[in-house]
């Protein structure tokens, strides 16, 4: 992958594709994590005398102008984060006014464009639209890892018309995720949880080729357990995936570990009864909501020696405190391992939220900013937005 460090950026107009898709609340940025994550690339370009044209999507406006999904609040936040840099905003991402503003831009200044997805051509990877975006700049820098699994005008199309490089955040993502997918230091343990097998099957199959052990938690465990003839009560189960689950179990041999016990309840939203089952079976009238204490100990013992850990998917309904113990305890162990030098990588939207909820984000080697993109990377899929940087 070509790095921004290899580009001659002085005096050049640089189109930076960032991931500024931040949560908003009442017209303000509620969580600026993604903006902060982009600062190393932006500061580097500003300090090296580039004219920075910054672009991103925000939410799902579906090709229409949706005022609530304007990047204006991001502009305000950016000014707070970079008080000594001249930053401008323009109400569109293509057209005459945008061109004029780009022409007025001086070295070390930034122009933030309006939401790319206000134009339907963005998600269609329309060639003319990509060309128009490209016409604004001399160089394309991709730093929005969370978008590289999508072939859009600003992630793939534009690269046809401009010399293209990876920004620092993107490089960091690829470096850490590669530590998982290419020759991970052993023992390598993966922890896979979350709601559904269907969304994770590719990840599980690819990881099984590389891991020493793969620990399963979350609701997907019940589909595996049902396939093994266990009683799963009223727990979530994807019956149409029983056959797939069976194949995975056959191929995995002893690498795949399933929960030995569970936290179960009568009702997720208004629990009256919460119990730890004595074994893998769940009573007919109960719902599995977390891994049990025996499982936590067994998983803790398995992870202890790991030199590489990849974790995707909460191990229970972590959003509710009563059902978050498994996720929390395993999170703490992963954090302790990081301190001992193990490479620990967490990916997935809810997984990252869970790590933050437990305040462990600074104790993980790498928290991937790309939900879908990091999963597809770990699945071993070719990501179109990365291929154009090679
Ligand atoms: P990620 O976004 O990290 O890839 P997923 O979206 O696959 O993770 O799964 C997260 C969701 O799975 C959470 O909302 C969590 O409540 C849910 N979940 C985990 N365990 C269970 C369970 N036992 N029953 C129902 N939902 C569960
Ligand atoms: Mg999710």
């Amino acid at each position: 992958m070509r790095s921004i460090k290899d580009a001659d950026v002085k005096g050049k107009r640089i189109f930076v594709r960032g991931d500024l898709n931040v949560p908003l609340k009442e017209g303000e940025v509620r969580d600026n994590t993604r903006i902060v994550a982009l600062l190393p690339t932006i500061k580097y370009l500003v300090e090296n005398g580039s004219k920075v044209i910054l672009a991103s999507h925000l939410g799902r406006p579906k090709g229409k102008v949706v005022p609530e999904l304007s990047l204006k609040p991001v502009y305000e936040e950016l000014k707070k984060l970079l008080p000594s840099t001249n930053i401008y905003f323009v109400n569109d991402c293509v057209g005459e006014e945008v061109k004029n503003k780009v022409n007025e831009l001086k070295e070390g200044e930034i122009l933030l464009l309006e939401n790319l997805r206000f134009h339907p051509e963005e998600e269609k990877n329309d060639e003319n639209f990509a060309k128009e975006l490209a016409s604004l700049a001399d160089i394309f820098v991709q730093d929005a890892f969370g978008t590289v699994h999508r072939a859009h005008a600003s992630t793939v199309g534009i690269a046809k018309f401009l010399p293209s490089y990876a920004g620092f955040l993107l490089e960091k993502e690829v470096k850490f995720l590669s530590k998982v997918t290419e020759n991970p230091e052993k023992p390598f343990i993966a922890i896979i949880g979350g709601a559904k097998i269907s969304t994770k099957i590719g990840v599980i199959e690819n990881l099984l080729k590389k891991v020493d052990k793969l620990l399963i938690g979350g609701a997907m465990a019940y589909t595996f357990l049902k396939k093994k003839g266990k009683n799963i009560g009223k727990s979530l189960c994807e019956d149409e995936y029983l056959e797939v689950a069976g194949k995975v179990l056959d191929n995995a041999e002893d690498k795949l570990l399933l929960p030995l016990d569970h936290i179960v309840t009568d009702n997720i939203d208004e629990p009256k009864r919460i119990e730890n089952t004595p074994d893998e079976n769940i009573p007919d009238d109960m719902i599995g909501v977390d891994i049990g204490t025996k499982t936590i100990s067994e998983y803790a013992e398995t992870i202890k020696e790991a030199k590489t850990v990849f974790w995707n998917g909460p191990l229970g309904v972590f959003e509710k405190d009563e059902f978050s113990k498994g996720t929390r305890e395993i999170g703490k162990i992963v954090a302790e391992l990081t301190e001992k030098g193990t490479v620990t990588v967490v990916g997935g939207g809810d997984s990252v939220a869970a790590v933050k909820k437990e305040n462990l984000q600074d104790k993980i080697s790498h928290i991937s900013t790309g939900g879908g993109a990091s999963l597809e990377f770990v699945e071993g899929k070719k990501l179109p937005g990365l291929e154009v940087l090679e």
Side-chain angles (χ1 to χ4, degrees):
M1 227 165 53
R2 285 184 301 268
S3 163
I4 185 175
K5 285 256 178 200
D6 306 330
D8 176 15
V9 298
K10 169 93 178 111
K12 298 272 168 46
R13 296 169 302 163
I14 319 277
F15 186 102
V16 178
R17 176 53 159 109
D19 183 357
L20 300 172
N21 182 26
V22 293
L24 301 176
K25 197 181 174 188
E26 285 155 20
E28 284 183 38
V29 173
R30 183 166 57 78
D31 179 350
N32 70 6
T33 308
R34 285 183 168 159
I35 308 176
V36 171
L38 195 61
L39 290 181
T41 292
I42 297 178
K43 281 185 179 163
Y44 174 83
L45 292 172
V46 165
E47 281 159 18
N48 285 283
S50 308
K51 301 170 182 180
V52 182
I53 302 152
L54 186 55
S56 175
H57 72 284
L58 179 75
R60 293 168 193 233
K62 301 198 172 134
K64 291 198 195 73
V65 177
V66 178
E68 294 74 37
L69 297 176
S70 167
L71 278 161
K72 197 87 199 273
V74 171
Y75 170 58
E76 300 301 332
E77 186 68 24
L78 207 53
K79 285 196 286 189
K80 281 186 214 152
L81 291 167
L82 297 169
S84 53
T85 304
N86 288 333
I87 309 177
Y88 307 96
F89 179 73
V90 57
N91 285 322
D92 206 342
C93 60
V94 288
E96 271 319 297
E97 198 194 338
V98 180
K99 278 191 189 140
N100 293 338
K101 292 239 163 133
V102 169
N103 285 339
E104 288 163 19
L105 214 53
K106 298 192 190 68
E107 291 184 9
E109 294 186 337
I110 300 172
L111 175 67
L112 176 65
L113 309 184
E114 183 55 288
N115 197 338
L116 292 160
R117 291 192 190 165
F118 283 179
H119 293 264
E121 296 89 346
E122 159 66 0
E123 288 176 89
K124 288 187 190 134
N125 193 13
D126 179 88
E127 180 152 331
N128 284 326
F129 183 72
K131 209 171 177 175
E132 263 201 81
L133 292 176
S135 74
L136 301 172
D138 307 301
I139 287 173
F140 169 55
V141 169
Q142 169 57 294
D143 213 20
F145 181 73
T147 68
V148 291
H149 59 317
R150 310 244 185 258
H152 292 170
S154 70
T155 63
V156 168
I158 189 172
K160 199 173 143 188
F161 303 105
L162 291 176
S164 306
Y165 298 87
F168 295 123
L169 179 60
L170 188 88
E171 277 188 326
K172 183 167 177 254
E173 288 279 4
V174 171
K175 180 181 131 199
F176 274 99
L177 291 172
S178 301
K179 284 191 189 188
V180 172
T181 54
E182 288 164 25
N183 303 315
E185 195 180 340
K186 299 258 184 169
F188 172 28
I189 311 289
I191 308 160
I192 305 291
K196 293 176 172 177
I197 286 198
S198 50
T199 59
K200 305 282 169 78
I201 193 72
V203 172
I204 294 174
E205 282 173 342
N206 197 38
L207 283 174
L208 277 171
K209 295 181 210 147
K210 303 167 199 261
V211 294
D212 295 284
K213 297 279 181 208
L214 193 149
L215 317 181
I216 297 279
M220 73 167 72
Y222 314 125
T223 308
F224 283 114
L225 289 169
K226 182 168 179 181
K227 180 68 197 175
K228 290 184 78 175
K230 307 294 175 188
N231 192 348
I232 62 161
K234 294 199 288 186
S235 309
L236 265 187
C237 179
E238 289 173 283
D239 283 326
E240 61 287 12
Y241 274 83
L242 283 170
E243 202 175 310
V244 175
K247 282 203 192 106
V248 170
L249 287 170
D250 289 344
N251 294 333
E253 293 154 15
D254 59 351
K255 279 188 178 180
L256 191 129
L257 272 62
L258 292 170
L260 304 172
D261 61 344
H262 314 276
I263 302 297
V264 295
T265 186
D266 57 333
N267 186 311
I268 294 185
D269 295 319
E270 287 166 32
K272 285 191 205 72
R273 288 161 57 207
I274 299 177
E275 287 157 24
N276 197 131
T277 60
D279 60 24
E280 332 56 339
N281 291 295
I282 295 175
D284 288 341
D285 56 342
M286 299 292 261
I287 310 163
V289 284
D290 196 6
I291 54 175
T293 49
K294 250 193 273 178
T295 310
I296 293 177
S297 313
E298 156 110 350
Y299 284 6
E301 195 60 31
T302 312
I303 304 169
K304 221 171 56 186
E305 303 297 325
K307 287 277 174 273
T308 308
V309 173
F310 175 72
W311 181 10
N312 167 262
L315 301 173
V317 184
F318 77 99
E319 296 92 338
K320 290 203 74 120
D321 287 337
E322 303 96 304
F323 313 136
S324 65
K325 187 175 173 207
T327 303
R328 179 166 58 250
E329 293 303 318
I330 298 298
K332 279 191 205 156
I333 294 161
V334 174
E336 280 164 23
L337 281 172
T338 317
E339 275 164 9
K340 288 193 216 149
T342 298
V343 173
T344 57
V345 179
V346 176
D350 292 292
S351 314
V352 173
V355 163
K356 285 189 179 162
K357 181 165 183 263
E358 304 306 336
N359 208 16
L360 297 170
Q361 65 274 21
D362 298 329
K363 296 179 177 152
I364 306 290
S365 312
H366 181 65
I367 299 214
S368 181
T369 52
S374 35
L375 287 188
E376 289 195 19
F377 191 101
V378 174
E379 262 185 84
K381 281 196 187 156
K382 292 237 174 282
L383 306 183
L386 292 184
E387 286 191 294
V388 297
L389 306 174
E390 273 160 18

